[in-house]
Amino acid sequence: MSIKRSWIGVICCFLLFTVVCLSLTFHLKGAFRESGRPELGLLFFILPGVIASFFSRGEEVTKCLLGAILAAPVCLVLTRLLFVTSRSFLQELAWLLSGVFWCALGALCFLFIRTFIRHYRR
């Protein structure tokens, strides 16, 4: 049971990171370009980090980070194969790596808030 619970954060982050990446590439691309702020879509990568950190066992950010790092090459291959992108390979790679950063930041923020609430209750 302990092994299954420790990997649930990695699997959750992997799946959610992939869903966010593909949805931003396919569905939400035009909405953020029309607003003049296409980088706002990167903030959606906070959600996989928060949710995976919630399901991870203990105070570990590494599970969330591992899931995002494993999902980044999969997303890069999927976006290159399934969608026609106007960005170069290095721009796509940089965009995905910043998604990994925002995912880890979401996990850190969740852990900070959880620790703050536990400390405040004592």
Side-chain angles (χ1 to χ4, degrees):
M1 181 71 179
S2 170
I3 294 172
K4 290 179 184 177
R5 179 144 169 94
S6 68
W7 282 98
I8 191 121
V10 175
I11 294 168
C12 181
C13 188
F14 179 85
L15 292 175
L16 290 174
F17 189 92
T18 306
V19 167
V20 167
C21 176
L22 293 179
S23 67
L24 285 175
T25 304
F26 183 67
H27 293 293
L28 301 176
K29 182 191 279 187
F32 288 113
R33 281 196 180 161
E34 289 175 5
S35 71
R37 298 221 175 246
E39 67 276 358
L40 286 177
L42 284 172
L43 293 177
F44 281 111
F45 284 107
I46 292 175
L47 296 175
V50 169
I51 294 170
S53 185
F54 176 75
F55 286 115
S56 290
R57 195 178 118 212
E59 307 283 328
E60 297 181 12
V61 179
T62 56
K63 303 291 184 192
C64 174
L65 191 59
L66 181 63
I69 288 172
L70 291 174
V74 173
C75 291
L76 185 63
V77 169
L78 285 175
T79 55
R80 284 298 187 180
L81 291 177
L82 299 176
F83 305 112
V84 177
T85 60
S86 61
R87 294 181 272 196
S88 70
F89 176 78
L90 290 178
Q91 287 175 328
E92 286 285 331
L93 184 64
W95 185 76
L96 281 170
L97 290 178
S98 31
V100 170
F101 166 77
W102 284 106
C103 186
L105 187 66
L108 283 172
C109 287
F110 177 79
L111 289 176
F112 173 73
I113 290 170
R114 183 167 63 181
T115 305
F116 183 75
I117 289 173
R118 284 182 184 170
H119 181 69
Y120 182 71
R121 286 183 181 171
R122 289 182 190 180

Short mmCIF file of all heavy atoms in Angstrom, two decimals, residues 1 4-5 11 24 32 45 51-52 61 77 82-83 85 99 108 110 121:
data_model
loop_
_atom_site.label_atom_id
_atom_site.label_comp_id
_atom_site.label_asym_id
_atom_site.label_seq_id
_atom_site.Cartn_x
_atom_site.Cartn_y
_atom_site.Cartn_z
N MET A 1 0.82 -1.20 0.00
CA MET A 1 0.00 0.00 0.00
C MET A 1 0.86 1.26 0.00
O MET A 1 0.53 2.22 -0.64
CB MET A 1 -0.92 -0.04 1.22
CG MET A 1 -1.83 1.13 1.32
SD MET A 1 -3.07 1.02 0.04
CE MET A 1 -4.02 2.44 0.39
N LYS A 4 2.22 2.03 -3.55
CA LYS A 4 1.18 2.57 -4.41
C LYS A 4 0.88 4.02 -4.06
O LYS A 4 0.70 4.84 -4.94
CB LYS A 4 -0.09 1.74 -4.31
CG LYS A 4 0.03 0.37 -4.92
CD LYS A 4 -1.25 -0.39 -4.76
CE LYS A 4 -1.10 -1.80 -5.30
NZ LYS A 4 -2.29 -2.61 -5.11
N ARG A 5 0.83 4.32 -2.80
CA ARG A 5 0.52 5.69 -2.38
C ARG A 5 1.66 6.64 -2.71
O ARG A 5 1.42 7.80 -3.01
CB ARG A 5 0.23 5.72 -0.88
CG ARG A 5 -0.07 7.10 -0.39
CD ARG A 5 -1.11 7.09 0.68
NE ARG A 5 -1.21 8.39 1.31
CZ ARG A 5 -2.06 9.31 0.93
NH1 ARG A 5 -2.86 9.08 -0.06
NH2 ARG A 5 -2.11 10.46 1.55
N ILE A 11 2.08 9.83 -10.79
CA ILE A 11 1.13 9.49 -11.85
C ILE A 11 0.11 10.62 -12.05
O ILE A 11 -0.20 11.00 -13.18
CB ILE A 11 0.43 8.15 -11.53
CG1 ILE A 11 1.45 7.02 -11.56
CG2 ILE A 11 -0.71 7.88 -12.48
CD1 ILE A 11 0.95 5.72 -10.98
N LEU A 24 -3.77 23.41 -23.57
CA LEU A 24 -3.25 24.74 -23.91
C LEU A 24 -2.78 24.79 -25.35
O LEU A 24 -2.93 25.82 -26.02
CB LEU A 24 -2.09 25.11 -22.98
CG LEU A 24 -2.47 25.51 -21.57
CD1 LEU A 24 -1.23 25.73 -20.74
CD2 LEU A 24 -3.34 26.74 -21.57
N PHE A 32 -5.59 33.11 -25.59
CA PHE A 32 -4.51 33.87 -24.96
C PHE A 32 -3.76 34.74 -25.95
O PHE A 32 -3.24 35.77 -25.60
CB PHE A 32 -3.54 32.93 -24.24
CG PHE A 32 -4.13 32.34 -23.00
CD1 PHE A 32 -4.41 30.99 -22.93
CD2 PHE A 32 -4.45 33.13 -21.92
CE1 PHE A 32 -4.97 30.45 -21.80
CE2 PHE A 32 -5.01 32.60 -20.79
CZ PHE A 32 -5.27 31.26 -20.73
N PHE A 45 -0.30 25.50 -15.34
CA PHE A 45 0.57 24.42 -14.90
C PHE A 45 0.72 24.37 -13.38
O PHE A 45 1.29 23.43 -12.85
CB PHE A 45 1.95 24.53 -15.56
CG PHE A 45 1.96 24.10 -16.99
CD1 PHE A 45 2.06 25.02 -18.01
CD2 PHE A 45 1.88 22.76 -17.31
CE1 PHE A 45 2.07 24.62 -19.32
CE2 PHE A 45 1.89 22.34 -18.62
CZ PHE A 45 1.99 23.27 -19.64
N ILE A 51 -2.49 19.70 -7.19
CA ILE A 51 -3.27 18.46 -7.04
C ILE A 51 -2.35 17.28 -6.74
O ILE A 51 -2.67 16.44 -5.89
CB ILE A 51 -4.13 18.24 -8.29
CG1 ILE A 51 -5.17 19.35 -8.39
CG2 ILE A 51 -4.80 16.88 -8.25
CD1 ILE A 51 -5.93 19.39 -9.69
N ALA A 52 -1.22 17.18 -7.42
CA ALA A 52 -0.30 16.08 -7.17
C ALA A 52 0.32 16.18 -5.78
O ALA A 52 0.54 15.16 -5.12
CB ALA A 52 0.80 16.05 -8.23
N VAL A 61 8.03 17.31 -2.54
CA VAL A 61 7.84 18.03 -3.80
C VAL A 61 8.43 17.21 -4.94
O VAL A 61 8.05 17.38 -6.09
CB VAL A 61 8.50 19.42 -3.72
CG1 VAL A 61 8.35 20.19 -5.02
CG2 VAL A 61 7.92 20.21 -2.58
N VAL A 77 6.78 15.46 -27.69
CA VAL A 77 6.59 14.55 -28.83
C VAL A 77 5.15 14.62 -29.32
O VAL A 77 4.91 14.69 -30.54
CB VAL A 77 6.98 13.11 -28.44
CG1 VAL A 77 6.54 12.11 -29.48
CG2 VAL A 77 8.48 13.01 -28.21
N LEU A 82 1.13 15.75 -33.31
CA LEU A 82 -0.30 15.94 -33.50
C LEU A 82 -0.70 17.34 -33.96
O LEU A 82 -1.72 17.49 -34.63
CB LEU A 82 -1.05 15.63 -32.20
CG LEU A 82 -0.90 14.20 -31.67
CD1 LEU A 82 -1.63 14.07 -30.34
CD2 LEU A 82 -1.44 13.21 -32.67
N PHE A 83 0.07 18.34 -33.62
CA PHE A 83 -0.32 19.71 -33.90
C PHE A 83 0.73 20.41 -34.75
O PHE A 83 1.92 20.12 -34.66
CB PHE A 83 -0.49 20.51 -32.60
CG PHE A 83 -1.46 19.88 -31.64
CD1 PHE A 83 -1.01 19.35 -30.45
CD2 PHE A 83 -2.80 19.82 -31.93
CE1 PHE A 83 -1.89 18.77 -29.57
CE2 PHE A 83 -3.69 19.24 -31.05
CZ PHE A 83 -3.23 18.71 -29.86
N THR A 85 2.68 23.61 -35.01
CA THR A 85 3.02 24.72 -34.13
C THR A 85 3.83 25.75 -34.90
O THR A 85 4.57 25.43 -35.83
CB THR A 85 3.83 24.24 -32.91
OG1 THR A 85 5.02 23.62 -33.37
CG2 THR A 85 3.03 23.25 -32.08
N GLY A 99 6.80 25.23 -17.86
CA GLY A 99 5.65 24.54 -17.28
C GLY A 99 6.06 23.65 -16.12
O GLY A 99 5.34 23.56 -15.12
N LEU A 108 5.05 23.55 -4.23
CA LEU A 108 5.65 24.25 -3.10
C LEU A 108 4.66 25.17 -2.40
O LEU A 108 4.65 25.25 -1.17
CB LEU A 108 6.86 25.06 -3.57
CG LEU A 108 8.13 24.27 -3.84
CD1 LEU A 108 9.17 25.17 -4.48
CD2 LEU A 108 8.66 23.67 -2.57
N PHE A 110 1.39 24.78 -2.28
CA PHE A 110 0.46 23.96 -1.54
C PHE A 110 1.08 23.47 -0.23
O PHE A 110 0.43 23.51 0.83
CB PHE A 110 0.01 22.77 -2.38
CG PHE A 110 -0.90 21.84 -1.64
CD1 PHE A 110 -2.23 22.14 -1.48
CD2 PHE A 110 -0.42 20.67 -1.06
CE1 PHE A 110 -3.08 21.30 -0.78
CE2 PHE A 110 -1.25 19.83 -0.36
CZ PHE A 110 -2.59 20.14 -0.22
N ARG A 121 -2.83 26.04 13.63
CA ARG A 121 -3.75 25.28 14.47
C ARG A 121 -3.14 24.92 15.82
O ARG A 121 -3.85 24.72 16.78
CB ARG A 121 -4.21 24.01 13.77
CG ARG A 121 -5.19 24.27 12.67
CD ARG A 121 -5.65 22.98 12.06
NE ARG A 121 -6.59 23.24 10.97
CZ ARG A 121 -7.02 22.33 10.15
NH1 ARG A 121 -6.62 21.09 10.26
NH2 ARG A 121 -7.86 22.65 9.19
#
